[in-house]
Amino acid sequence: MKKTIAGFILALVTICAAYAQKDVTQFLGIPIDGSKSAMIQKLKAKGFKSNSYKKDVLEGEFNGVDVNVHIVTNGDKVCRIMVCDANPVDERSIKIRFNNLCRQFKKNPKYMSMDDYIIPDDEDISYAITVNNKRYEAIFYQRPVELSDTTLIQEKIIPILTEKYTPEQLANPTGEIKSEMMKKALEYMIELYTNKPVWFMISDLYGKYYITMFYDNEYNRANGEDL
């Protein structure tokens, strides 16, 4: 019986791990993963072209704006897609663009956010950036595909709790065990979300401004393993 339970738990952990690896941040439907060369080819298939001066920088249109796309890697894996407006604009225009992006992300069901990042109409962003070193940025999180299947979440949490409770206790949980299940599930959900951030900020260049966007795959980011 113990061998059967152990085998079942191992199978669940393996399935969940494989599922989680596939559930990474996406840019234009492309998972931010794999090699840089493969990513370049996938982006070119979406209509982007190599920059005339830097072949590993791509240019094209994204969300109605001309942009330059930079691919960042950690080791041999892509961990970030950075998208920069190709044409800087004045203060009024960048405030409108930033706020429009906030609203677009806010109403997009693929994302969730924890704050309101709208810049007030009367705010002097030029003064705030130059004098106060204020940074205007907004962060959103792509909703994990895994959360659409509650059974899978349970299968991820239960194996963790079997280290502390017997299968019989988990089959008929007490209030204490239910509370711990909810806590573990919440921690797991937060982990899934925070590994799929998409954020953007206002960047300045000689008195002009542009938006820089970051699509990050935190699973591939450096985590001190090279220290």
Side-chain angles (χ1 to χ4, degrees), residues 14 121 172 226:
T14 302
D121 287 338
N172 299 283
D226 293 336

Side-chain angles (χ1 to χ4, degrees), residues 55 62 65 88 105 111 114 148 159-161 190 205 216:
K55 297 300 181 183
F62 176 65
V65 178
F105 273 97
Y111 292 89
M114 300 178 184
S148 64
I160 297 175
L161 295 177
I190 292 173
L205 180 68
D216 290 339

Side-chain angles (χ1 to χ4, degrees), residues 44-58:
K44 285 184 175 180
K46 292 285 186 178
F48 290 92
K49 298 179 180 179
S50 293
N51 183 279
S52 302
Y53 303 99
K54 295 182 178 181
K55 297 300 181 183
D56 58 348
V57 175
L58 302 177

Side-chain angles (χ1 to χ4, degrees), residues 72-79 219-223 225-226:
V72 182
T73 60
N74 176 35
D76 60 347
K77 290 185 177 181
V78 176
C79 62
Y219 292 107
N220 287 354
R221 301 277 286 174
N223 194 30
E225 58 271 12
D226 293 336

Side-chain angles (χ1 to χ4, degrees), residues 85-86 88-89 202-210:
D85 290 355
V89 296
I202 294 178
S203 301
D204 62 300
L205 180 68
Y206 304 119
K208 293 288 187 177
Y209 305 90
Y210 61 96

Side-chain angles (χ1 to χ4, degrees), residues 70 73 89 122 139 162:
H70 304 256
T73 60
V89 296
D122 60 351
I139 183 167
T162 52

